[in-house]
Amino acid sequence: MAGKVRVGVIGATGMVGQNYVRLLSNHPWFELTYVAASPRSAGKRYMEAVAGRWVLDEEVPAAVADLTVGDAGDVDAARRQCDLVFSAVEMDKEAVRELEERYAAQGLAVVSNNSAHRWTEDVPVLIPEVNPHHTEIIPFQRQNRGWDRGLIVVKPNCSLQSYLPPVYALLRAGYEVESMVVVTMQAVSGAGYPGPASIDMIDNIIPYIPGEEEKSEQEPRKILGFIQNGRIVPDHSIHISAHCNRVPALDGHLACVSLKFRSRKPALDEIVRIWRTFRAEPQELGLPFAPQPVLIYRDEPDRPQTRRDRDAGRGMAITIGRLRECPVLDVRFVALSHNTVRGAAGGAILSAELLKAKGYI
Ligand code: NAP
């Protein structure tokens, strides 16, 4: 379609990939022209490749159903059919790093959900409302690697996208956070398809998600960091302690957060005012996937709730509630976001929109 950027999804058959297929349907700037997955799916019609494991309520979009699934390892095939790829493959980290770099070297923009490049110094970890300026590392990235049009940007872990934007809003308003304790309750879809066995999840909570607590404690440092000499320098000023739990919800990651401020502590009504008036670059630019508002504060004592609030702002808004004094730290609250939309495919589409609005694609 004239004027639209041709995009592909690698890992299109998985939990996140299916959400891309749904969310990119009728996107005003992007047209999904290419889907790829493992050699197990390659060569099949998309409809056949996801038969028996399509997890969404909506039908497979007609425009995608008959696309032939490519092999994600075949970069030349992708290059012929699209200019940007969303990467949602689940593979060994070293293999993902190497694969995403091959796409970028061939001139494709790569927006990834995988954690493989999150600690690469010249690769930004974007939450478009928090660190849109980290896109300024892209010219250094291209120069470092000899890429002309290619680039790699990545999404952070899905769990921290419920609580980092509300915390960032307070930082931006001038309130320094000294420490944060966060306890997450994360949906099963966060584990990909088919996820944990039902016999492990029904009537149960699993207090362990491999690697998740480390990501929740470390990734905010890079997102809140600054660019210096062509690399992103992490900010170590906030001490974070995370407990991550897998709970029997289908979608939606909920976080209970306690904060201690460094010197000045905001009043509770000031915090609510900051959240309710928070706008960032995606909202100012009017990006198609930017929720308005991005932070929704609810006054009811029993909200947010995973099932009722995860779809707020078409799954892109973050719902916050239960703000109160904390007798141990300073304040505490509950925050929720949709893990496969804001935390994965939707958040990555918003990142791609930001890249396009800034002229990087
Ligand atoms: P998933 O449901 O397991 O899907 C994995 C995808 O990777 C499938 O399309 C699969 O293709 C493909 N794949 C597997 N092995 C491959 C190989 N050797 N070569 C090429 N493609 C291969 O996983 P997911 O939950 O969608 O997660 C995808 C990525 O997003 C992961 O890195 C995950 O950590 C990240 N993420 C997930 C979430 C979430 O909420 N689920 C949130 C944020 C980030 P086949 O169908 O052909 O096997």
Side-chain angles (χ1 to χ4, degrees):
M1 195 174 289
K4 288 195 181 185
V5 178
R6 299 174 312 155
V7 302
V9 177
I10 58 170
T13 50
M15 187 76 78
V16 175
Q18 293 181 20
N19 274 280
Y20 276 118
V21 167
R22 173 178 72 92
L23 293 169
L24 287 166
S25 177
N26 300 317
H27 189 283
W29 296 0
F30 303 137
E31 188 185 6
L32 181 57
T33 51
Y34 181 66
V35 288
S38 79
R40 294 179 291 278
S41 304
K44 295 181 182 168
R45 289 167 60 230
Y46 184 74
M47 193 73 183
E48 289 162 7
V50 295
R53 56 180 175 141
W54 179 256
V55 292
L56 305 177
D57 292 337
E58 298 85 349
E59 299 294 327
V60 176
V64 183
D66 286 329
L67 289 183
T68 301
V69 178
D71 179 340
D74 185 353
V75 179
D76 279 339
R79 190 165 54 96
R80 287 193 297 274
Q81 296 176 68
C82 59
D83 304 299
L84 176 153
V85 289
F86 294 102
S87 168
V89 287
E90 180 63 72
M91 294 160 61
D92 159 67
K93 299 297 164 217
E94 188 50 47
V96 174
R97 257 195 299 275
E98 186 267 331
L99 182 65
E100 293 181 348
E101 286 174 12
R102 279 204 288 131
Y103 275 89
Q106 289 293 325
L108 286 144
V110 179
V111 180
S112 179
N113 296 93
N114 197 281
S115 62
H117 266 301
R118 288 188 196 149
W119 286 98
T120 307
E121 286 181 332
D122 60 0
V123 172
V125 181
L126 288 182
I127 299 180
E129 284 87 353
V130 174
N131 60 343
H133 56 289
H134 279 192
T135 51
E136 290 162 22
I137 197 82
I138 291 169
F140 294 102
Q141 187 187 96
R142 286 175 169 161
Q143 191 184 330
N144 292 345
R145 294 148 183 280
W147 298 340
D148 51 0
R149 291 177 305 121
L151 62 90
I152 301 177
V153 305
V154 301
K155 294 278 304 132
N157 180 260
C158 44
S159 71
L160 57 90
Q161 300 184 59
S162 336
Y163 54 88
L164 198 57
V167 170
Y168 168 71
L170 304 179
L171 296 171
R172 195 179 74 172
Y175 295 103
E176 284 181 50
V177 174
E178 184 180 300
S179 46
M180 168 160 80
V181 178
V182 57
V183 179
T184 67
M185 278 151 272
Q186 302 184 207
V188 288
S189 63
Y193 187 84
S198 56
I199 204 155
D200 291 330
M201 282 317 304
I202 294 170
D203 188 29
N204 204 15
I205 290 175
I206 299 176
Y208 176 59
I209 306 175
E212 204 80 349
E213 291 171 350
E214 294 79 358
K215 290 174 187 166
S216 301
E217 292 170 358
Q218 299 297 329
E219 290 179 16
R221 300 185 196 290
K222 184 167 179 190
I223 297 164
L224 298 174
F226 55 94
I227 296 176
Q228 189 178 57
N229 299 330
R231 56 189 279 262
I232 298 169
V233 181
D235 175 346
H236 291 279
S237 63
I238 306 179
H239 305 288
I240 305 175
S241 170
H243 304 257
C244 295
N245 304 286
R246 187 71 74 198
V247 301
L250 212 49
D251 293 311
H253 288 355
L254 186 133
C256 299
V257 183
S258 294
L259 295 180
K260 181 168 176 52
F261 293 93
R262 187 153 273 122
S263 47
R264 250 165 16 105
K265 170 186 159 185
L268 297 184
D269 58 354
E270 166 72 350
I271 294 176
V272 172
R273 188 194 63 75
I274 290 167
W275 285 339
R276 284 192 167 143
T277 56
F278 179 78
R279 284 171 63 80
E281 199 167 348
Q283 285 70 37
E284 303 298 342
L285 290 169
L287 300 181
F289 266 53
Q292 311 260 13
V294 54
L295 304 178
I296 298 172
Y297 186 79
R298 297 197 66 121
D299 292 309
E300 302 94 318
D302 61 351
R303 303 290 280 271
Q305 292 180 17
T306 302
R307 181 156 48 84
R308 290 184 167 159
D309 295 306
R310 63 191 170 201
D311 292 322
R314 295 184 301 154
M316 289 297 289
I318 294 155
T319 306
I320 318 167
R322 303 212 64 223
L323 176 67
R324 59 222 193 275
E325 302 282 350
C326 172
V328 177
L329 302 183
D330 287 327
V331 299
R332 50 193 162 154
F333 62 90
V334 179
L336 168 82
S337 69
H338 196 301
N339 56 298
T340 60
V341 183
R342 162 59 75 167
I349 293 170
L350 184 62
S351 297
E353 292 171 353
L354 182 72
L355 293 172
K356 178 164 166 48
K358 285 175 172 280
Y360 291 110
I361 50 174

